């Protein structure tokens, strides 16, 4: 290992302030609980209000990081230049027909943020509806949120977050005048137009819980908005959206594995919400409308991999659900779209997606797939916002193929390529190789792995490897193209994605097998993938850098405790590592809704023991750990900054090696790091520079 990645002298040492929590008769000792600010909710909105002792510690860690990575500053600059060179600076999206206009996003050269534009559908002058650069100019951080045009296309409702806390402000843009109305609504999570004057929106409370739905009349005082719905159960969050048919606004309230939906007719927005099917333990469903029926994607009746049912709009309860697309084990139905004349869905088999469709009223046996040839690829479903159309849009990419946008005519089966993402600095897919393999986990489970490498990289165990994983919430990791990733692959890295349990790559059971007490399957799967890469000579022990973020950071933290000997280094981005303390704290923004994933350790001793058994913070031991780069964000409402800070403090006080351990906290943003398309490249460059340095890779990219 390069000597330069040994610990520098003067590493920050967090003060030990012992505290003890008593849970289920167990004493939980924590020397670093003080890093959680008592005013953390205030500091999330205004990071400058973080207490001085906590801010001082985080700043000291940042200074230590800067010193440790000082010799990579030039490398980081080159990486940013390379990655920026792969971005078409004056890029634009394919216009999307919607009513009398075609809407698009367009960048001007050098700009961090896009212009939201429209032109008359049949041609004419472009109008800039929203210049995001102008809105972001005075902000250190800016993230555009929701963006919806009123049904008469006269007003744009749009939201923005200016500090990374994910508290969004709602504004209304008069499109013809080009200015916002003179009022705003704070802390809006989602929104949906009912008609040209009436809008429903969800507000979050101080705990970041989206729990109240209001009805707003355009131009009226928001203080007079009518409270339409309140969700009292803190496990459930609420969201609103307008159905594609335009006849209903849906109020969806639920957690990860359970929900219920109410609808309000857009023709009568003052009507009381009407429930489709009341919440039932373990029942999930999504709703589309098609004529006088609702089409419902659901896991009802033990349809673990989901099915589609039809129910009358007049009587949509579960008693009237009739199968339209029956359940098929191993075929995961991921999403559903309903047009007036077509039913379209995306499904996944053996970790690969495909799109299927059938004409309204025709038997499911006549369904047709949209097929692809590569052995690993990613699909994105992008149905039209219009209900009465035969046009369906999707995106396609693979680890070697940049994203492509297709319009598909459902009547004729004609596929039209509308855009291929341009790589200005050049990209030849023939220079790269994608491989799909499987690894055998501890219990015999076959774990899919997607591998990308340059065709000239020797597969003899000498290549450095970056292994990425996530494995939570049923989120599947797509085998998609990443222009940034090429900066590693062109330097001889093998890039691998471990499709571990906890995702849904192999169906719902792949996810269910890593919930509650089964969570360690995620970690065993990841270790098995690493060992398979070694056995296949794609990598070697201590030549593998691992990376994961958020719940993927939990994965990184757990496997570091279990098998620290395998890794050359670890990158943990905003890692969820203080799992036990977080899931025990029902005052935190996301905790109640998380109990369906991990168990409720407050009520259940079994869940307490399960989580305590793998929580990375609680399982740090006196052993050697590889070099580590850990990131955090002060405004992060998802993984609060003190989780990675506490973890680093305990690691530094406990581990027995002298390898580098770095914590870099963004003091002005949250879970997703820097905003802007170019500024965000700096975060990627830091991670890649760490991987290059820790593996001793020479900085010489192939052309």
């Amino acid at each position: 290992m390069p000597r330069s990645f040994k610990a520098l002298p003067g590493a920050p040492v967090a003060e030990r302030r012992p505290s003890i929590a008593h849970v289920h008769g167990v004493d939980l000792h924590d020397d670093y609980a003080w890093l959680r600010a008592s005013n953390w909710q205030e500091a999330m909105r205004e990071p400058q209000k973080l207490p001085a002792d906590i801010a001082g510690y985080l700043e000291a860690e940042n200074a230590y990081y800067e010193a440790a990575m000082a010799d990579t500053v030039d490398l980081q600059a080159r990486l940013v230049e390379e990655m920026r060179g792969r971005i078409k600076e004056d890029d634009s999206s394919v216009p999307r027909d919607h009513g009398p206009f075609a809407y698009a996003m367009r960048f001007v050269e050098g700009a961090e943020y896009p212009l939201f534009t429209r032109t008359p559908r049949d041609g004419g002058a472009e109008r800039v509806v929203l210049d995001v650069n102008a809105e972001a100019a005075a902000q250190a951080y800016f993230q555009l949120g929701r963006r919806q045009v009123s049904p008469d296309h006269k007003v744009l409702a749009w939201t923005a977050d200016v500090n990374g806390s994910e508290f969004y402000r709602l504004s209304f843009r008069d499109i013809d005048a080009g200015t916002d109305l003179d009022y705003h609504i704070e802390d809006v999570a989602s929104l949906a137009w009912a008609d040209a004057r009436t809008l429903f929106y969800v507000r979050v409370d101080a705990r970041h819980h989206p729990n109240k739905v209001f009805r707003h009349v355009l131009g009226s005082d928001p203080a007079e908005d009518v409270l339409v719905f309140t969700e009292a159960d803190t496990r459930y969050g609420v969201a609103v959206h307008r159905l594609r048919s335009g006849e209903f606004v849906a109020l969806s309230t639920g957690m990860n594995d359970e929900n219920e939906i109410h609808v309000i007719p857009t023709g009568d927005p003052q009507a009381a919400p009407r429930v489709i099917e009341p919440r039932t333990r373990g029942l999930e469903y999504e709703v589309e409308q098609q004529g006088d029926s609702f089409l419902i994607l659901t896991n009802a009746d033990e349809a673990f991999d989901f099915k589609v049912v039809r129910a009358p709009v007049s009587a949509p309860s579960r008693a009237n659900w009739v199968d339209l697309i029956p359940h098929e084990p191993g075929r995961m139905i991921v999403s559903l779209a309903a047009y007036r004349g077509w039913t379209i869905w995306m499904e996944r088999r053996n970790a690969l997606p495909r799109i299927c469709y059938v004409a309204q009223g025709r038997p499911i046996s006549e369904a047709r797939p949209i097929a692809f040839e590569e052995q690993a690829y990613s699909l994105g479903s992008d149905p039209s916002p219009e209900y009465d159309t035969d046009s369906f849009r999707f995106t396609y990419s693979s680890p070697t193929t940049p994203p492509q946008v297709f319009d598909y005519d459902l009547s004729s089966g004609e596929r039209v390529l509308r855009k291929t993402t341009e790589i200005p600095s050049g990209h030849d897919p023939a220079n790269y190789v994608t491989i799909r393999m499987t690894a055998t986990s501890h219990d015999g489970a076959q774990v899919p792995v997607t591998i990308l490498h340059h065709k000239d990289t020797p597969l003899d165990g000498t290549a450095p490897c970056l292994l990425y994983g996530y494995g939570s919430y049923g989120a599947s990791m797509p085998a998609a193209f990443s222009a940034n990733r090429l900066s590693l692959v062109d330097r001889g890295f093998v890039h691998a994605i471990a499709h571990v349990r906890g995702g849904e790559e192999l169906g719902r059971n792949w996810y269910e097998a890593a919930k509650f007490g089964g969570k360690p399957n995620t970690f065993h799967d990841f270790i098995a993938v690493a060992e398979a890469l070694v056995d296949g000579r794609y990598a070697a022990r201590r030549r593998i850098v691992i990376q994961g973020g958020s719940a993927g950071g939990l994965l990184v933290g757990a496997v570091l405790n279990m098998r620290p000997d395998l890794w050359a280094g670890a990158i943990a981005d905003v890692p969820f590592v203080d799992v036990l303390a977080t899931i025990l704290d029902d005052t935190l923004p996301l905790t109640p809704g998380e109990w369906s994933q991990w168990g409720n350790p407050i009520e259940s001793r079994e869940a307490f023991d399960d989580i305590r058994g793998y929580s990375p913070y609680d399982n740090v031991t006196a052993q050697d750990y590889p070099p580590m780069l850990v990131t955090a964000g002060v405004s992060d409402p998802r993984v609060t900054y003190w989780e990675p800070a506490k973890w680093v403090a305990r690691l530094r006080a406990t581990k027995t090696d002298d390898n580098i351990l770095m914590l870099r906290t963004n003091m002005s943003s949250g879970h997703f790091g820097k905003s802007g398309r170019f500024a965000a490249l700096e975060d990627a460059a830091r991670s890649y520079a760490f991987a290059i340095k820790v593996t001793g890779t020479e900085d010489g990219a192939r052309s």
Side-chain angles (χ1 to χ4, degrees), residues 501-531:
R501 279 175 283 188
E504 287 180 341
E505 285 92 337
L506 298 184
R508 186 69 171 194
N509 286 335
W510 198 244
Y511 160 57
E512 296 287 345
K515 287 171 61 179
F516 308 122
K519 186 58 191 174
N521 284 329
T522 302
F523 318 138
H524 288 296
D525 289 356
F526 193 79
I527 291 168
V529 168
E531 291 177 330

Side-chain angles (χ1 to χ4, degrees), residues 25-54:
V26 177
D27 290 343
L28 299 176
H29 296 265
D30 193 344
D31 290 339
Y32 306 106
W34 66 270
L35 287 168
R36 170 181 166 159
S38 58
N39 69 334
W40 63 269
Q41 290 174 310
E42 181 183 39
M44 188 180 295
R45 291 178 182 263
E46 300 178 79
Q48 70 274 16
K49 293 187 176 180
L50 202 65
D53 55 348
I54 297 173

Side-chain angles (χ1 to χ4, degrees), residues 168-424:
Y168 286 84
R169 167 188 272 196
L170 171 62
S171 303
F172 298 93
R173 173 66 50 92
D174 181 321
I175 296 176
D176 286 338
T179 57
D180 286 339
L181 303 187
D182 61 358
Y183 67 94
H184 309 277
I185 303 175
E186 301 293 340
D187 304 340
V188 172
S190 61
L191 55 98
W193 291 97
D195 56 35
R197 301 289 300 171
T198 310
L199 179 120
F200 291 92
Y201 65 91
V202 176
R203 291 196 72 181
V204 298
D205 62 17
R207 291 170 45 178
H208 228 284
H209 179 215
N211 63 344
K212 286 183 167 61
V213 180
F214 291 88
R215 185 177 67 243
H216 175 71
V217 176
L218 197 65
S220 67
D221 184 349
E224 300 175 355
D225 289 351
V226 176
L227 178 62
V228 174
F229 182 90
T230 300
E231 178 53 64
D233 191 333
T234 56
R235 299 173 303 160
Y236 280 67
V238 188
V240 294
H241 71 279
R242 179 184 169 100
L243 297 190
R244 193 181 326 276
S245 66
E247 294 187 21
F248 293 94
V249 168
L251 284 61
S252 180
T253 178
M255 53 184 173
N256 289 305
D257 305 289
E258 185 177 303
N259 74 294
E260 70 179 1
I261 296 174
H262 295 75
V263 291
I264 298 174
T266 56
D268 184 13
Q270 289 78 33
R274 176 169 62 109
V275 71
I276 300 290
E277 173 65 20
R279 63 190 67 178
T280 302
R281 184 176 177 84
L283 177 66
E284 298 177 63
Y285 65 97
E286 299 175 9
V287 174
E288 287 263 325
Q289 184 191 1
Q290 192 175 69
D292 59 3
S293 296
F294 285 125
L295 303 189
I296 301 170
L297 174 63
T298 181
N299 66 344
D301 308 316
E302 299 187 341
F304 299 110
D305 290 328
F306 287 75
K307 64 179 180 177
V308 177
V309 301
R310 183 186 295 275
V313 168
S314 58
S317 67
R318 187 172 175 179
N320 299 316
W321 291 3
V322 176
D323 283 5
L324 177 65
I325 306 174
H327 176 242
E328 181 182 321
R331 189 268 315 267
M332 181 81 187
I333 302 180
V334 178
S335 64
L336 173 70
Y339 292 172
R340 183 183 300 279
W342 301 95
T343 302
I344 310 112
W345 67 97
M346 181 180 287
E347 61 184 39
R348 187 182 300 112
R349 300 173 187 261
N350 297 320
L352 289 177
R354 71 173 184 171
I355 295 167
C356 300
Y357 63 97
V358 67
Q360 193 274 335
R362 303 305 301 171
I364 197 65
S365 60
E366 295 184 9
R368 298 177 62 186
I370 303 175
F372 306 91
E373 300 299 326
E374 293 187 80
Q375 63 172 291
Y377 58 84
S378 172
L379 282 180
S381 174
D382 186 15
S384 171
E386 298 184 324
Y387 177 59
D388 193 4
T389 182
D390 294 334
S391 179
F392 182 81
R393 181 169 292 174
F394 65 89
T395 58
Y396 173 90
S397 77
S398 77
T400 62
T401 306
Q404 298 175 319
V405 179
F406 291 90
D407 279 342
Y408 191 89
D409 189 306
L410 299 165
S411 295
S412 66
E414 181 184 9
R415 182 187 311 184
V416 178
L417 176 62
R418 297 294 305 278
K419 176 183 177 180
T420 296
T421 298
E422 183 180 335
I423 309 297

Side-chain angles (χ1 to χ4, degrees), residues 430-443:
N431 286 333
Y432 303 94
V433 178
T434 299
I435 298 168
R436 176 59 65 88
M437 60 175 278
T438 59
T440 303
S441 195
H442 68 115
D443 58 357

